[in-house]
């Protein structure tokens, strides 16, 4: 209605008698002649019919622009609503463990510019690659595909903790095909993005867990690989089992308190992470305690990993590994 009212006022200017004297241009009988210029207090018009047609054309152009704006805004709202609907479907399929349907759904929108959709697509591509029935050739293709989606997600939104997390994960996966030198070089990038993900969302237990894996990997690095790394890089990445434990425990623990802002350190926020959120975190706690010769705590966490409800293929593999490790040593009371 507001649009119609504005249009009516616009058109109304061309109706009735316009106050004030007028200088007529192109008077009857003077074919092709016209006067030029505008005098103060005077309105200069040509043929009244032409003027009205021009006025109507301008009004219609104005109306068309207004309609275009309304339609454009509606299209943006519709597109946003559609993306939200797709994300809801994707999250439902992910929670249901329907990996292949999830991948099929998201690849239909692989040209999307939405970071939330793209990092989910990276995750889905990687999940398909991890399936035991996926061939080695297909796995490699999917790993590189996942990296491209994660990279695009990060380009679209550098404030997305999930984009940083999945970019780091996908770079790590690609390293398996790029050789030792590239893998070591990528380690710095991986750590940087895991740390950024934790900074952006300190409640995300998965990012914390993955930072623990990073530490565990470089604490466990064989001496000969460490020697090669030192030859390739002045300061190769390194860590300790104690540092890995700190991240694994941080991912498991209950409520803790964290500083909201470095500017106001007295402002504290309660930060919840997720106990028993992931069977692999339980397994790695057990394995890390084994590395530092603490068998009692190793057994405690390995039992939790063995008894963890198996929802996925990975959970079943972790149950088996935990059971094997438990039988490999005896706990002295």
């Amino acid at each position: 209605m507001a649009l119609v009212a504005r249009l009516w006022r616009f058109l109304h200017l061309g109706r009735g008698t316009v106050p004030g004297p007028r200088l007529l241009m192109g008077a009857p009988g003077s074919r092709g002649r016209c006067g030029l210029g505008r005098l103060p207090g005077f309105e200069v018009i040509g043929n009244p019919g032409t003027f009205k047609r021009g006025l109507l054309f301008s009004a219609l152009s104005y109306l068309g622009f207004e309609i275009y704006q309304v339609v454009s805004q509606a299209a943006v709202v519709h597109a946003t609503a559609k993306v939200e609907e797709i994300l809801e479907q994707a999250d439902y399929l992910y929670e249901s463990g329907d990996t292949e349907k999830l991948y099929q759904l998201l690849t239909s929108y692989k040209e999307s510019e939405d970071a939330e959709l793209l990092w989910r697509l990276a995750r889905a591509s990687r999940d398909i690659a991890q399936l035991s029935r996926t061939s080695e050739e297909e796995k490699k293709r999917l790993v590189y595909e996942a990296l491209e989606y994660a990279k695009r997600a990060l380009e679209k939104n550098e404030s997305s903790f999930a984009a940083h997390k999945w970019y780091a994960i996908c770079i790590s996966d690609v390293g398996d095909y790029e050789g030792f030198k590239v893998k070591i070089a990528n380690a710095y990038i991986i750590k940087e993005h895991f740390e950024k993900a934790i900074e952006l969302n300190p409640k995300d237990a998965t990012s914390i867990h993955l930072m623990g894996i990073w530490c565990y990997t470089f604490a466990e690095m064989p001496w000969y690989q460490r020697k090669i790394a030192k030859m390739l890089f002045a300061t190769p990445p390194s860590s300790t089992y104690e540092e890995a434990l700190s991240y694994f425990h941080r991912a498991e623990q209950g409520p803790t308190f964290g500083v909201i802002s470095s500017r106001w350190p007295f402002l504290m926020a309660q930060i919840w992470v997720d106990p028993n959120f992931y069977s692999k975190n339980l397994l790695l706690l057990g394995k890390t305690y084994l590395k530092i010769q603490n068998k009692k705590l190793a057994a405690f966490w390995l039992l939790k990993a063995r008894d963890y409800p198996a929802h996925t293929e990975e959970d079943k593999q972790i149950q088996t590994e935990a059971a094997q490790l438990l039988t490999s040593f005896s706990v002295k009371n």
Side-chain angles (χ1 to χ4, degrees), residues 86-244:
I86 295 163
L87 296 181
E88 284 181 12
Q89 292 176 32
D91 290 343
Y92 173 79
L93 290 171
Y94 181 75
E95 292 299 326
S96 302
D98 204 336
T99 308
E100 291 174 334
K101 280 188 180 178
L102 173 60
Y103 179 73
Q104 289 170 7
L105 169 69
L106 292 177
T107 48
S108 302
Y109 304 96
K110 63 183 179 181
E111 301 304 323
S112 172
E113 300 295 310
D114 189 274
E116 291 297 303
L117 194 151
L118 288 168
W119 73 252
R120 284 171 171 83
L121 182 51
R123 180 181 65 184
S125 301
R126 184 180 185 273
D127 285 349
I128 291 286
Q130 297 296 315
L131 294 176
S132 58
R133 59 180 174 273
T134 303
S135 68
E136 283 303 314
E137 183 181 350
E138 183 68 3
K139 180 178 179 179
K140 182 177 180 180
R141 184 190 68 79
L142 286 164
V143 161
Y144 279 93
E145 180 182 293
L147 178 59
E148 284 303 309
Y149 294 138
K151 183 179 179 181
R152 283 174 54 201
L154 196 57
E155 288 171 352
K156 298 302 175 185
N157 186 3
E158 290 189 352
S159 297
S160 168
F161 83 94
H164 282 280
K165 175 170 69 177
W166 285 99
Y167 182 63
I169 292 169
C170 293
I171 288 179
S172 178
D173 289 343
V174 165
D176 293 337
Y177 300 98
E178 298 287 339
F180 182 74
K181 183 177 180 180
V182 173
K183 195 164 188 174
I184 294 298
N186 284 345
Y188 298 99
I189 302 169
I190 291 165
K191 184 181 182 183
E192 176 189 340
H193 286 283
F194 281 148
E195 288 175 338
K196 187 63 177 178
I198 295 169
E199 177 189 329
L200 290 168
N201 185 3
K203 297 180 183 181
D204 183 48
T206 308
S207 297
I208 300 168
H209 162 80
L210 292 168
M211 194 62 235
I213 289 182
W214 189 96
C215 295
Y216 183 91
T217 300
F218 287 100
E220 193 183 37
M221 182 183 286
W223 66 268
Y224 61 89
Q225 287 187 353
R226 200 180 302 278
K227 190 173 182 179
I228 295 170
K230 284 182 180 179
M231 292 171 61
L232 296 172
F233 302 94
T235 53
S238 62
S239 189
T240 64
Y241 290 119
E242 287 75 15
E243 192 174 4

